[in-house]
Amino acid sequence: MTKIKTFPLGGIHPNKYKITTDSPITFAGLPETVYIPVKQHIGAPAKILVKPGDKVKVGTLLADADGIVSADVHSSVSGEVLKVEAIEGEFGYVEDMITIKVEGNEFEPSIDRSLDIDREIPYTDEEIIAKIREAGIVGMGGAGYPTPVKTSIPEGKKVDTLILNGIECEPFLTADDRLMVEKGEQIVIGAKILNKILGIQNAIIAIDENKPKAIEVLSKITKTYVGVNVQVCATKYPQGGEKQLITAITGREVPSGKLPADAGCLVQNVGTVFAIYEAVMKNKPLFERVVTVSGDACSHPANYLVRIGTPASYLLEKAGGITPQTAQVVFGGPMMGTSAFNINAPITKITSGLLLLSDKISAKHHEEDCIRCGKCAEACPMGLQPFLIGRLMRANQIDEVKNCHVLDCIECGCCAYICPAHIPLLDYCKLAKIELKKKK
Amino acid sequence: MDDTVLLSVLALGGIAIVSAIVLYLVSRKFAIAEDVKIVEIDALLPQANCGGCGKAGCHDFAQACAFVDEKGFAGLYCPVGGQQVMDQIAALRGFAKVEKKPTAAVLRCNGTCQNAPLKVSYDHITSCRIAARISSGQTGCPTGCLRLGDCIKVCKFGALSMNKETGIPIIDHNKCTSCGACVRMCPRGLFEIRPKTENGEMLYVACRNTQKGAIARKNCKAACIACQKCTKVNAEVKVENNLSYIPDTVSAEEFGKALREACPTGAIIYTKEEKNND
Amino acid sequence: MLKISTAPHMQTNQDTKSLMRDVVIALLPAALVGVLFFGINALLVILTSVAACAGFEYLFNRYCFHKENTVTDFSAIVTGLLLAYNLPSSIPLWMVLVGAFMAVVVGKLCYGGLGKNIFNPALVGRVFLFISFPVQMTSWPKPEFLKFLDMDAQTGATTLGILKHIDGQTSATYINAKLPSYFDMFIGNIGGCIGEVSALALLLGLAYMLWRRVITWHIPFYYIGTVFAITGLMWLITGDVRYDPLTHILSGGLMLGAIFMATDYTTSPMSKKGQILFAVCCGILTVIIRLYSAYPEGVSFAILIMNAFVPLIDKYMQPRVYGQRR
């Protein structure tokens, strides 16, 4: 095996809690109603095409991408559209959602539902990009950036490396891990598809050390495919951060304020690549995804294949319900996820995990004085000095913060995790960003 | 012995003289010539550097006053120094006095602990601006006060304080200078600078929720439900986007009491009434 | 009711208190060695110093600065231990009280408490005593293993003190008779301050702190390494026993200073680059003071002088930001 790679600056080693590593992906079933938000991505909300009373099938287009940075939204169930209106989302803010009452499980006829693996790619580059666009695929790692925009490389830039992000460095989450173990070959074919449209033969699947099964499965499969290789990375948070991964794999750095393409790289989450495979080879729009339901307060943690729009409460019920020791429900991972305000909010294309955390893990401690230990600066993967940003923001010195490169912060939370004085350093970094943007 | 004393005095004195000359030359070389007008106006200003005038600070405002023509001068106002200071500046520039009506900031939310009960609890969140980013707040109202007091920290005049019982800030309208720092700070944009009556009373709609009445009421008893009753008291009151707004032109003395009584949820606040109740 | 909080939803269980507790644990072997060699007097000095530091912090926080009680974060105890380790065991206990007052109240609380002081508090106390009471601060009882109560009032010189008195005319036999062996220096059977004599105990403490991730290896390594390199170079060139590098790193307060005092969070630079510069400069200053000044030992002064430069180092030695043009 080749050398284990990692990024040079900072990083932390939180407790992994990967309790669902060996739990196979199971279908979560169909809830009574689904709520499908029309904005599950970065960019403009999609234009709604349906009205109450319409009958839809699985895969029916519900809303059309509005502009280039936007994504199509498809129905994830068959049934009747009940309402098209603003409903409270996971943060408690209202978002436009399409409510569908589930009746049966009927698919659009164009979707190929067979389980065979199609290995030949008979389409041209344009056809492939059109299929990805029509499937409404967005980055499923968490950011939700529309994939067609990401894969179309700006004029004058050259991408020579495609990196498949199978790191999943967030504690608890195992959705990508299981997907790689169970759908390894499809992911590799997905990588070939991306290789084709990029015109390169250099796809690297990055997996971190603590996923021996996925490494084994994919190493075996990639032997028979040209141009797709596995690279093992060290288990360190935030190894799965786009910039950190690029530096780990290629040794290049993405210049401040620029795109990965400026470093000659394209990074795609393995979940996204699997969706690309399904969209291109099976004509399947993105209407379901793998979600890890876990947490130290969860009684039956598992990995579920979930239809987009399924209320979180339905999934939580399947995993044993909200136990008395639950203090927080978190959408996403414990490091970068958000506390849920409303647990009836739907699972979206970017929800990779649903965590029930007890006070033992999630309770915040009282903020003390900085002892200048420098651990935050040591842990910051971007080489920033969070203690300085925190000190300046406490004094409201926004002009000074400008020189701290705070806009480069990737909000990974290493600083706030490591701080022995429990200073909410990440909050101060976010505040600094808010204030700097206000000034502009 | 005498020599030692003499030498020390000479040496120290010499160093002092040389330093003085150097300092004098440096200060002359790097001196910034400044208009006398700016210095004079700057001396009149309160030096709070609050930015309430819209300029970067008092010196910046002085510069603006010094070079503006009479027409432009009417658009400048120092909310902290008030009418008196502006009159002095006008006299200095030889312009006519410009009258400004007294104003103060109001909080357009009445989501007190009693009106808007908690749905979730914050766990060590320290700033409204952060809280606004991660949730609609403890009460669930997406436009309501977040109760963490960023505005209080930013007020330089001590006009804002947190009311422990209601959970939302209270504004001392006598101390408020309308500098607008809270207006810029609040992530929900709940503060508004509004005119004060001669007796210092204020009239405003204490709600910014644009959701439909039924939804808004679910989160807060004091939400504006756009029932239109206020528009019947005075036709100038407008209801748009499920939210009522009382323009400055509506006289508080004349309609305040009636508007307050007309509102079924208590979203319209007229401060005179409340003082009587106390 | 569910809770809402900002990311990250996990935090380490390492907090200020646990860090300071680990430092106290790391300091214990040196205390043991000190008591074994210097008897009950050493124990009394240590106990007085710790109690006085904790007591002053509590009283002044409560009645003078009107702040929360910060004794529970163990930092005053660390200061107390370090101060005691820097004193000879024969020092009168009232002087220990004076030193503790200078360390905690003047050296730390007056600056605003833990995290805001510029100078290492224990060193402030020590240097104050050193300058005010030079006689008591430089009379070193001879180490006597396991002889707790009836210690002789005999005093001797420290290793570095002996080196200081060597000149060209000193005979080799005299030197050999006077200087302790490397083994004695390593385990601590030499004259000196209570906590500084045993390199072994201090290295054990270093290993514990590295294992617990309290500190990183940079400052101790570069500090001791610099002293070793400079003296080693001079020793190679001149062959003079005064420059013997092993004697220099095993004797005096170098180990204690490099492991426990130069690494003090508050008074050392934040960035790794800065820490290395800080440690190297400490090393250079230590060698200069030891070899060319009137004092035989220079660790305390070297660290205090470099403490003053920490804000400057922090300003100019910032870490490289990812993605910024090199």
Side-chain angles (χ1 to χ4, degrees):
Chain A
M1 193 156 290
T2 47
K3 214 178 116 237
I4 291 165
K5 290 185 174 175
T6 190
F7 58 99
L9 277 177
I12 52 170
H13 297 89
N15 205 336
K16 296 291 168 300
Y17 298 111
K18 299 276 192 190
I19 37 189
T20 48
T21 310
D22 295 318
S23 132
I25 301 169
T26 48
F27 182 51
L30 295 167
E32 279 175 26
T33 35
V34 294
Y35 308 92
I36 301 179
V38 295
K39 185 176 186 290
Q40 306 178 27
H41 49 262
I42 289 174
K47 273 184 298 205
I48 298 167
L49 301 175
V50 290
K51 55 185 188 303
D54 285 1
K55 294 280 181 196
V56 293
K57 290 178 189 164
V58 179
T60 309
L61 187 66
L62 295 179
D64 197 12
D66 188 12
I68 293 173
V69 186
S70 185
D72 289 352
V73 176
H74 300 82
S75 174
S76 60
V77 291
S78 62
E80 187 187 333
V81 177
L82 286 185
K83 281 186 279 187
V84 180
E85 62 175 36
I87 300 175
E88 215 172 64
E90 63 191 87
F91 303 128
Y93 290 117
V94 290
E95 304 160 32
D96 279 334
M97 293 195 207
I98 299 165
T99 310
I100 303 171
K101 188 161 171 276
V102 181
E103 292 157 356
N105 192 16
E106 204 181 321
F107 281 66
E108 284 284 342
S110 59
I111 299 172
D112 175 6
R113 295 184 65 201
S114 70
L115 291 172
D116 314 330
I117 297 174
D118 299 331
R119 294 186 174 80
E120 288 304 310
I121 309 165
Y123 308 106
T124 64
D125 293 359
E126 286 73 32
E127 282 173 329
I128 293 171
I129 290 177
K131 274 170 178 279
I132 294 173
R133 190 179 296 279
E134 280 158 24
I137 295 175
V138 303
M140 286 160 80
Y145 201 71
T147 304
V149 187
K150 211 172 157 185
T151 46
S152 50
I153 306 302
E155 201 71 24
K157 282 173 190 158
K158 181 90 188 78
V159 167
D160 55 21
T161 314
L162 167 69
I163 300 172
L164 269 61
N165 187 349
I167 299 287
E168 207 164 42
C169 51
E170 284 261 13
F172 288 109
L173 303 188
T174 55
D176 289 349
D177 187 6
R178 285 312 300 177
L179 199 67
M180 285 189 286
V181 172
E182 294 178 26
K183 311 278 182 192
E185 183 147 20
Q186 287 92 320
I187 290 170
V188 174
I189 298 167
K192 294 285 288 179
I193 295 171
L194 283 172
N195 262 350
K196 187 170 157 41
I197 54 176
L198 292 172
I200 57 172
Q201 282 291 333
N202 186 19
I204 296 164
I205 307 176
I207 310 173
D208 65 344
E209 265 179 301
N210 68 348
K211 301 182 178 57
K213 250 191 200 161
I215 294 171
E216 195 194 315
V217 169
L218 283 169
S219 300
K220 208 183 275 173
I221 296 168
T222 47
K223 270 183 197 141
T224 55
Y225 286 87
V226 181
V228 185
N229 292 299
V230 171
Q231 171 65 52
V232 182
C233 293
T235 304
K236 185 161 88 171
Y237 181 85
Q239 182 75 69
E242 196 169 57
K243 288 175 177 168
Q244 278 61 42
L245 194 55
I246 290 172
T247 308
I249 301 281
T250 65
R252 301 173 203 159
E253 280 189 6
V254 183
S256 172
K258 295 280 173 63
L259 295 169
D262 291 286
C265 292
L266 176 67
V267 183
Q268 290 286 4
N269 180 270
V270 288
T272 318
V273 176
F274 177 68
I276 289 173
Y277 163 82
E278 292 209 301
V280 174
M281 310 303 261
K282 303 282 187 190
N283 271 327
K284 198 179 122 186
L286 181 56
F287 61 75
E288 58 187 7
R289 69 157 296 143
V290 185
V291 177
T292 303
V293 185
S294 185
D296 66 327
C298 181
S299 53
H300 295 89
N303 297 304
Y304 289 113
L305 184 64
V306 184
R307 295 286 171 86
I308 305 293
T310 303
S313 50
Y314 171 86
L315 268 188
L316 294 177
E317 224 30 73
K318 282 209 76 138
I322 293 184
T323 47
Q325 63 265 35
T326 308
Q328 283 198 14
V329 176
V330 173
F331 275 65
M335 294 300 292
M336 290 184 75
T338 45
S339 312
F341 174 88
N342 169 21
I343 56 160
N344 291 317
I347 300 296
T348 65
K349 290 173 186 173
I350 60 170
T351 314
S352 48
L354 200 54
L355 305 178
L356 293 171
L357 299 181
S358 74
D359 263 338
K360 230 160 91 196
I361 284 187
S362 70
K364 289 266 158 63
H365 303 279
H366 181 66
E367 182 178 346
E368 292 161 30
D369 284 340
C370 173
I371 55 168
R372 287 177 41 87
C373 64
K375 281 173 189 288
C376 53
E378 207 181 305
C380 181
M382 297 304 285
L384 307 180
Q385 301 186 88
F387 68 92
L388 191 60
I389 296 166
R391 197 168 70 199
L392 291 172
M393 283 315 290
R394 269 198 213 182
N396 215 7
Q397 294 193 327
I398 294 140
D399 294 328
E400 296 279 322
V401 161
K402 244 184 240 164
N403 306 325
C404 297
H405 303 284
V406 69
L407 292 176
D408 284 324
C409 171
I410 58 167
E411 305 188 7
C412 62
C414 287
C415 47
Y417 172 87
I418 206 81
C419 180
H422 311 300
I423 300 169
L425 291 166
L426 177 58
D427 290 4
Y428 286 121
C429 292
K430 286 178 178 172
L431 263 189
K433 281 183 171 183
I434 294 173
E435 290 299 325
L436 285 182
K437 275 173 194 161
K438 229 194 253 177
K439 282 226 153 180
K440 263 182 194 167
Chain B
M1 197 64 195
D2 283 348
D3 276 0
T4 327
V5 173
L6 191 68
L7 269 177
S8 331
V9 169
L10 280 179
L12 284 173
I15 292 170
I17 289 167
V18 171
S19 310
I21 293 169
V22 169
L23 277 175
Y24 173 75
L25 289 177
V26 167
S27 71
R28 277 300 288 270
K29 180 137 174 60
F30 292 103
I32 299 162
E34 200 171 51
D35 201 299
V36 189
K37 268 190 287 183
I38 303 180
V39 182
E40 278 175 331
I41 296 172
D42 206 16
L44 292 172
L45 293 172
Q47 300 303 335
N49 287 318
C50 62
C53 50
K55 299 282 180 280
C58 287
H59 186 265
D60 203 24
F61 183 73
Q63 210 165 353
C65 288
F67 297 115
V68 81
D69 58 6
E70 185 147 17
K71 214 171 149 197
F73 183 72
L76 291 169
Y77 187 70
C78 170
V80 182
Q83 195 61 48
Q84 200 190 344
V85 165
M86 290 314 291
D87 289 350
Q88 282 170 339
I89 298 173
L92 207 71
R93 291 292 320 269
F95 297 153
K97 286 180 186 177
V98 182
E99 283 286 331
K100 271 268 163 54
K101 278 180 187 150
T103 57
V106 294
L107 177 70
R108 291 189 58 196
C109 176
N110 197 14
T112 59
C113 295
Q114 292 73 32
N115 287 332
L118 300 190
K119 294 238 170 63
V120 293
S121 65
Y122 291 141
D123 188 9
H124 285 85
I125 301 180
T126 46
S127 158
C128 300
R129 287 160 289 169
I130 294 295
R133 255 187 144 200
I134 61 162
S135 81
S136 58
Q138 287 167 300
T139 64
C141 175
T143 51
C145 176
L146 293 153
R147 303 181 181 173
L148 290 168
D150 275 9
C151 47
I152 293 162
K153 283 174 222 151
V154 87
C155 183
K156 288 195 179 164
F157 308 100
L160 282 157
S161 58
M162 189 56 87
N163 186 335
K164 290 262 158 50
E165 268 166 48
T166 60
I168 60 174
I170 38 177
I171 302 165
D172 185 337
H173 291 149
N174 295 322
K175 284 188 189 165
C176 178
T177 60
S178 309
C179 74
C182 49
V183 179
R184 289 188 291 275
M185 178 54 77
C186 181
R188 292 274 160 90
L190 291 177
F191 289 94
E192 191 188 354
I193 307 290
R194 291 186 62 88
K196 266 197 296 203
T197 65
E198 270 164 32
N199 300 324
E201 284 118 22
M202 322 252 340
L203 170 70
Y204 58 100
V205 180
C207 184
R208 290 209 56 184
N209 194 316
T210 53
Q211 288 169 309
K212 277 184 188 150
I215 300 172
R217 281 279 286 189
K218 238 193 264 174
N219 290 324
C220 177
K221 276 186 241 163
C224 169
I225 52 171
C227 62
Q228 312 276 348
K229 280 186 182 148
C230 44
T231 57
K232 285 173 192 119
V233 176
N234 185 316
E236 277 183 72
V237 179
K238 286 277 173 303
V239 175
E240 264 170 24
N241 260 336
N242 302 317
L243 180 64
S244 163
Y245 182 77
I246 304 174
D248 290 356
T249 46
V250 177
S251 157
E253 282 113 334
E254 211 173 318
F255 297 102
K257 210 173 160 201
L259 281 170
R260 210 199 75 84
E261 275 161 16
C263 182
T265 62
I268 292 178
I269 289 181
Y270 180 47
T271 48
K272 189 176 186 180
E273 283 283 325
E274 286 180 354
K275 268 181 194 155
N276 288 349
N277 287 345
D278 276 349
Chain C
M1 201 180 333
L2 287 175
K3 278 188 187 172
I4 295 257
S5 68
T6 52
H9 304 284
M10 286 169 84
Q11 275 179 313
T12 50
N13 37 29
Q14 201 175 40
D15 56 12
T16 307
K17 197 173 161 180
S18 78
L19 286 172
M20 292 298 165
R21 199 169 47 214
D22 281 338
V23 176
V24 171
I25 293 171
L27 279 166
L28 289 181
L32 188 70
V33 173
V35 175
L36 284 180
F37 282 114
F38 299 113
I40 192 88
N41 285 341
L43 187 67
L44 279 178
V45 170
I46 293 173
L47 289 180
T48 312
S49 171
V50 169
C53 283
F56 280 131
E57 175 148 322
Y58 177 79
L59 290 174
F60 275 81
N61 259 344
R62 174 120 189 229
Y63 296 108
C64 188
F65 298 106
H66 304 291
K67 281 190 175 169
E68 278 173 58
N69 174 21
T70 50
V71 176
T72 48
D73 69 15
F74 281 90
S75 67
I77 293 165
V78 172
T79 304
L81 279 174
L82 284 175
L83 176 65
Y85 285 11
N86 276 301
L87 302 173
S89 62
S90 57
I91 191 168
L93 292 183
W94 66 269
M95 284 186 195
V96 179
L97 286 181
V98 173
F101 176 84
M102 286 307 289
V104 167
V105 180
V106 178
K108 188 167 91 175
L109 296 181
C110 280
Y111 284 98
L114 180 64
K116 301 191 183 74
N117 47 309
I118 298 173
F119 299 105
N120 186 319
L123 286 180
V124 170
R126 184 227 146 107
V127 167
F128 178 80
L129 292 180
F130 192 68
I131 293 170
S132 311
F133 312 107
V135 178
Q136 289 89 337
M137 283 295 286
T138 49
S139 56
W140 317 101
K142 279 205 167 152
E144 283 177 279
F145 190 61
L146 284 180
K147 221 177 153 194
F148 292 115
L149 285 175
D150 49 341
M151 299 287 290
D152 292 335
Q154 218 183 356
T155 58
T158 60
T159 320
L160 290 170
I162 300 165
L163 288 185
K164 201 88 204 175
H165 288 108
I166 296 174
D167 53 33
Q169 279 89 48
T170 322
S171 70
T173 41
Y174 173 82
I175 294 168
N176 285 339
K178 273 276 186 183
L179 274 182
S181 69
Y182 290 140
F183 179 74
D184 278 343
M185 287 194 257
F186 185 65
I187 61 157
N189 192 14
I190 48 172
C193 294
I194 296 168
E196 71 181 23
V197 287
S198 171
L200 173 68
L202 294 167
L203 286 172
L204 271 178
L206 173 66
Y208 178 76
M209 288 204 291
L210 288 178
W211 173 62
R212 295 282 291 167
R213 291 172 190 265
V214 177
I215 57 167
T216 53
W217 53 272
H218 299 79
I219 291 181
F221 176 81
Y222 280 98
Y223 192 168
I224 297 171
T226 306
V227 172
F228 187 82
I230 298 177
T231 52
L233 201 68
M234 293 170 83
W235 183 67
L236 279 179
I237 294 168
T238 62
D240 194 330
V241 70
R242 278 181 291 178
Y243 304 134
D244 180 5
L246 268 179
T247 309
H248 270 284
I249 63 167
L250 287 176
S251 62
L254 180 62
M255 285 280 177
L256 180 66
I259 295 171
F260 289 100
M261 291 189 294
T263 56
D264 173 35
Y265 287 149
T266 309
T267 55
S268 63
M270 300 293 261
S271 67
K272 283 281 153 303
K273 267 195 295 183
Q275 287 179 358
I276 292 168
L277 177 72
F278 172 81
V280 169
C281 290
C282 278
I284 294 170
L285 281 176
T286 303
V287 174
I288 291 175
I289 296 173
R290 276 185 179 183
L291 297 181
Y292 302 110
S293 79
Y295 293 108
E297 173 58 311
V299 170
S300 310
F301 291 112
I303 297 176
L304 277 182
I305 291 168
M306 286 315 295
N307 281 166
F309 283 97
V310 165
L312 200 68
I313 295 175
D314 273 343
K315 190 164 164 65
Y316 290 105
M317 299 290 276
Q318 298 197 350
R320 196 182 71 81
V321 176
Y322 178 103
Q324 296 294 324
R325 203 153 283 170
R326 271 172 251 208

